[in-house]
Amino acid sequence: MTDTAAVEILAHVHRGVGRILLNRPKALNALTADMVAAIDRVLAAWEDTPLSAVLIASTSTKAFCAGGDIRTIREDSLAGDAEASERFFASEYRLNARIAEYPVPVVSLIDGLCMGGGLGLSVHGSFRVVTERAVLAMPETGIGFFPDVGASYFLPRLPGAIGMYLGLTGHRLDAADALYTGLATHFVPADGLDAVGEALADNPGDPLDVVLNRLAGRSPVAGSGLAEVRGDVDWAFAAPALGEIEKRLRHLETPWAAAALAALESASPESLEITHALLARGRQHTLRECLDAELALTRTTIRTPDFLEGVRAALVDKDRTPNWRRASLGGRTLLS
Ligand code: QUE
């Protein structure tokens, strides 16, 4: 671990509660290989420590974690260093699996942006607390990638066709939507987050769920915009093929359907094909199987023109006008 990485992850134990703080605020806590390795080492060491819970949180009020450090993945791919990317994804997905199987409850405190790799850190744990500033998304089809970090396990297990909708369009959820889908489990106002660790330490005999519920302000779950369009989401996104999803969205003629269509039209057509196939079959597989399938997919995906172009447009030049290899849907997919 380099000195820089040492400060990008802060970890300590206080009164029987472990706390891991993501501390790379300038990059919205995008996960580097060193950060993944550091979190994994901390969790491995704490497996033999009697803790009541492990908290994962951020030093930034803007972001919990914006995802993986895909800028570096792109640079490694362009430099022909596929092994570096392979090592990154393999260790990131191993960490996702460790969190899912961890003997101590893992509680993520999501204040601000949480995308991709940030969801990988949080959703596989026991509880996800969101604040009024939380924004959750799986936006990978917009950069020529696909929803990974176990998304092929957790998205198909969301109610109805919500997971397919989120994975294909990258739609952003607020706190109310996140609670509605189950991606979040509890609401705590941002100014109450600092009290979570102490409350867990003060009540070691109470179920974590009960302690977290006591800290909740008025839950905003009733205000979920996603709940209001749920019928249309389920009808459109349960269609058996991408072309059929688009046809149903066109048929609906609602503002929500128009926005969903626009999102599909701006995403990488190849990413949409891969994502649809991946999510359609994820429900039959274990988390480990899903992570293995995703790891295999990363090997081909990071070399595609759409991935290099998508990361360029979103994160390097920031022009947000990717020139995808294929103009629209239809044709072969990497999975067929
Ligand atoms: C899709 C992604 C990511 C993304 C945008 C997408 C992602 C990621 C970042 C990101 C954002 C801000 C930063 C940064 C990275 O954006 O994984 O370093 O400062 O890390 O559409 O998958």
Side-chain angles (χ1 to χ4, degrees), residues 235-251:
W235 179 65
F237 283 86
L242 270 173
E244 183 66 22
I245 292 175
E246 295 206 312
K247 222 160 89 186
R248 291 187 188 185
L249 288 172
R250 269 190 215 99
H251 179 82

Side-chain angles (χ1 to χ4, degrees), residues 15-16 27 33 80 96-97 99 109 151 179 198 203 241 254 262-263 297 308 335:
R15 300 178 63 206
N96 299 148
I99 290 169
L109 308 181
L179 289 160
E198 295 299 332
N203 304 279
T254 65
L297 262 180
L308 301 172
L335 284 182

Side-chain angles (χ1 to χ4, degrees), residues 90-284:
S91 63
E92 184 184 27
Y93 301 171
R94 265 199 311 274
L95 173 59
N96 299 148
R98 184 193 287 284
I99 290 169
E101 294 160 12
Y102 206 62
V104 171
V106 176
V107 183
S108 290
L109 308 181
I110 302 173
D111 186 25
L113 192 62
C114 178
M115 306 195 299
L119 279 165
L121 285 182
S122 52
V123 294
H124 302 297
S126 303
F127 301 107
R128 283 81 56 198
V129 173
V130 286
T131 72
E132 66 277 13
R133 294 189 290 228
V135 175
L136 280 65
M138 291 301 286
E140 291 85 353
T141 59
I143 56 157
F145 199 57
F146 62 91
D148 65 334
V149 296
S152 60
Y153 178 83
F154 68 77
L155 287 180
R157 285 167 173 79
L158 296 184
I162 288 174
M164 188 64 85
Y165 168 53
L166 300 183
L168 289 176
T169 65
H171 178 74
R172 293 172 161 228
L173 305 178
D174 62 16
D177 293 332
L179 289 160
Y180 173 70
T181 61
L183 284 174
T185 58
H186 295 79
F187 177 81
V188 172
D191 64 12
L193 274 194
D194 286 346
V196 172
E198 295 299 332
L200 294 176
D202 286 340
N203 304 279
D206 290 359
L208 259 63
D209 181 50
V210 172
V211 179
L212 292 174
N213 272 328
R214 272 204 296 265
L215 294 171
R218 211 173 65 82
S219 165
V221 71
S224 165
L226 187 53
E228 283 169 31
V229 292
R230 172 69 192 283
D232 287 350
V233 169
D234 284 359
W235 179 65
F237 283 86
L242 270 173
E244 183 66 22
I245 292 175
E246 295 206 312
K247 222 160 89 186
R248 291 187 188 185
L249 288 172
R250 269 190 215 99
H251 179 82
L252 281 170
E253 292 185 330
T254 65
W256 169 79
L261 260 177
L264 293 179
E265 275 157 15
S266 70
S268 154
E270 290 177 350
S271 287
L272 291 175
E273 295 283 359
I274 294 169
T275 300
H276 188 267
L278 188 69
L279 299 184
R281 58 191 194 182
R283 217 172 148 62
Q284 291 109 294

